[in-house]
Each structure stands twice: as structure tokens, then as C-alpha cells.
Amino acid sequence: MPGVLSDALAWAVILTFVVGVFSRRRNERAARYLTVAAWVGFAVFWLQLVPHFAFVHKSYVEGILAVIAVPASLYVGYLLFDGRDSLYVLSRAVAAMGVIYLPFETIPAFTLLGIAVPAPRGVLMETVAAQTGFLVNAFGYHPELIVGDQGYLNTFLFFDGDHRLTVEVVLACTGLGSIAIFAGLISAVKAPLRRKLRAMAIAVPIIYALNLLRTTFITIAFGKQYMQWFVDEILFLFGASDPYMVSFFISDRIISQLLAVVVLVGITYLVVRELPELLTIIEDVLFVVTGDEYDLESELGLNRPGV
């Protein structure tokens, strides 16, 4: 996220979601207004991220998704205000996603009773970097793992001749975002704990393992400059001028991000087979996107208990 104000906005929105969805049993009217307000705040949150994804991060996929998320969030808020109560399940999911993700994004290192407590993001990034390094070495490449700009041991150093190339494992490279999404979805529905745990056991290991393969692929492709294809066209497409970045743009911003969408759809299918209650959320999302009602339970041949 871009900075302190963005982090503060994220926490404000997520806490509004939490208060809204968990106050429903006590005060339906207040819960509805709070949850609708949370969706409006969610739209504002994504709106302020659009420039970051599009111009700083230079990610077309994330930039487009952020743009789409703005009207989609406003529309969900409108539908919930208009009485589509099934959207409380999606609201619970967003609340859970935020509670899982934001501590890693926002909590800094601190000292408590003389004991130094590291930043959660740093621990996670260094862990993923170490595991990525193991795989990179297994493929026969041996870059040096050094301390990066954020002060963590999360950066691989390559050389192309005399030119220095660094690949940094940041929070977005850890798979945490995707894990938080599935954990939020799974926790939001009403289902036996045993089936929820089985669904988590499907989603989390697959996401984590495939993410390690992704970071390994990007590290090698960029560090060894293996994808210097259509240099002028790629630089123009991403508004960049450094030709050494072409392999990164192709391996990460194009190949990896597009494959990630396909993979997440596949994981969703596997998880839904174990936890059909998630169909309520998926049907609501499809309704928001298309305006049509869907009966995925019949189409997929699943039996969905109440949510």
C-alpha cells in the first residue's frame, strides 16, 4: 500500500465491516447502514490505489482490477441497502480478509518488555525469500541473498556483466493476499469446522507452493535476463525506459499475473467442491458483475446447506 494514510483508511474500512456484520443480530438497521458505509469506504480505498497499481507498480492486471473494484463496491453497497441480505456473507468475508492481511501490512517492528518483536511482514518476506533461494539454487543458479531497501534479507543480487540486478521479495510476493482471500471466504460461511479446515488444507498449501514456484521463475527469468523479447514494445507498454526491466515485466506482470487468475479459478473450484456454502458468495459476485441470477448448485451438481 502507498503509505500511512492508505493503511489508516484500510483499517477504518475493515473495522467498519467487522462492526457492521457482527452487530446484525442486535440491531439490523444499524448493521445495514454500517455495512453499506463500509462498502462505500471500500470503493474509496480501491480508488486511491489505482494510481499506485497503474503508474508506480506498473501492473495492468492489478490496475484494471482496482478500477473495477470501485463501482463494484458501490454497487454491492447499493444492493445491500436495497435488501439483498445474502451480501452479508460477502461482507463477512471481506472483514475476515482484512483482519488476516492488514497486520502483516501495517504492524512495524517494536520492543516489548525489552524483547524485540520483528515486523510480521519482515518475517514473512524473509521466509519466502529463503525458500525461493533454496529453489533457485536447486535449479543451478546462485545469486547472493542481501538486505534490500526495506531492511530485510529478502533481495537476490545478480550481475549481467558489470550491471547489477536485484530481485526483491516484497509482501505481494508471499502469496499472503491470495491466502487471505480464501481464508476470508471460508471463514465467512456457516459450515462445520471440519469441512472448513479441509477447505483451508486444500487452498493454503497449493497457493503457497505455487507462489514459491512463481517467485523462483521471476527471480531466474529477470536475474538472468532470459525474456528480453520485444524490448521496445514492452517498454512502451509499461511506460518504462530501462531495458533490463523487460524480463521482469514479461515474467511477472504478464505471464505470472495472468496465470495467477487461472490458478485462483481452479483453486476456487476445488474449494467449492469441499465447501458448497461458498456458492452463495460466488453467485452474488456474478450477479454484481453480470446482473443475472445464477444457480451454481444445480449446474455443478452440488448440495449446498444453509449459509
Side-chain angles (χ1 to χ4, degrees):
M1 296 183 186
V4 175
L5 291 179
S6 182
D7 290 349
L9 175 60
W11 273 114
V13 170
I14 293 303
L15 289 176
T16 304
F17 269 117
V18 170
V19 174
V21 297
F22 285 104
S23 63
R24 189 181 176 198
R25 290 184 179 180
R26 294 186 177 182
N27 191 323
E28 168 71 27
R29 182 181 178 87
R32 190 176 301 275
Y33 284 137
L34 280 169
T35 310
V36 169
W39 280 106
V40 174
F42 206 40
V44 175
F45 170 75
W46 287 112
L47 180 63
Q48 57 91 34
L49 279 182
V50 170
H52 172 74
F53 285 137
F55 305 118
V56 178
H57 209 222
K58 297 185 184 298
S59 170
Y60 281 98
V61 173
E62 291 173 319
I64 291 171
L65 290 176
V67 170
I68 294 172
V70 176
S73 297
L74 292 174
Y75 187 46
V76 171
Y78 165 76
L79 291 173
L80 185 60
F81 182 79
D82 198 43
R84 192 178 179 94
D85 287 356
S86 59
L87 286 168
Y88 276 114
V89 184
L90 178 59
S91 302
R92 290 200 301 266
V94 173
M97 293 174 200
V99 169
I100 294 168
Y101 184 86
L102 286 179
F104 287 90
E105 176 65 45
T106 61
I107 295 177
F110 61 92
T111 300
L112 180 64
L113 301 176
I115 301 174
V117 179
R121 64 184 291 123
V123 174
L124 184 57
M125 290 190 297
E126 290 186 344
T127 299
V128 172
Q131 293 168 344
T132 299
F134 174 82
L135 292 176
V136 170
N137 293 340
F139 281 104
Y141 303 92
H142 301 279
E144 182 182 358
L145 185 61
I146 63 174
V147 175
D149 294 338
Q150 299 182 48
Y152 304 118
L153 191 64
N154 66 333
T155 303
F156 297 99
L157 175 62
F158 290 85
F159 284 94
D160 184 31
D162 293 329
H163 189 81
R164 177 185 171 105
L165 295 168
T166 57
V167 185
E168 186 176 14
V169 176
V170 297
L171 191 61
C173 303
T174 63
L176 176 64
S178 297
I179 290 172
I181 289 173
F182 279 94
L185 293 172
I186 292 168
S187 65
V189 298
K190 295 178 181 178
L193 179 60
R194 175 174 50 84
R195 286 200 290 111
K196 285 190 175 187
L197 291 176
R198 284 208 303 260
M200 288 289 289
I202 292 171
V204 174
I206 293 176
I207 292 171
Y208 195 83
L210 291 179
N211 182 71
L212 284 178
L213 293 178
R214 181 184 73 89
T215 56
T216 301
F217 164 64
I218 294 169
T219 297
I220 295 172
F222 173 60
K224 301 303 293 184
Q225 295 286 281
Y226 282 148
M227 294 186 171
Q228 294 300 102
W229 310 327
F230 307 106
V231 173
D232 292 335
E233 292 80 1
I234 294 297
L235 291 176
F236 174 77
L237 181 65
F238 287 92
S241 58
D242 183 359
Y244 286 99
M245 291 299 295
V246 170
S247 288
F248 175 76
F249 289 139
I250 293 176
S251 62
D252 181 28
R253 298 297 190 257
I254 298 177
I255 296 176
S256 293
Q257 291 192 358
L258 291 177
L259 284 178
V261 174
V262 177
V263 168
L264 290 177
V265 171
I267 295 173
T268 300
Y269 176 77
L270 294 176
V271 172
V272 165
R273 301 293 299 187
E274 182 62 45
L275 202 63
E277 290 87 347
L278 287 173
L279 291 176
T280 296
I281 298 177
I282 298 173
E283 288 169 350
D284 275 335
V285 170
L286 289 174
F287 178 79
V288 170
V289 173
T290 67
D292 296 325
E293 297 284 2
Y294 291 84
D295 183 8
L296 297 180
E297 182 178 1
S298 298
E299 294 180 17
L300 297 177
L302 298 174
N303 180 26
R304 169 178 37 186
V307 296

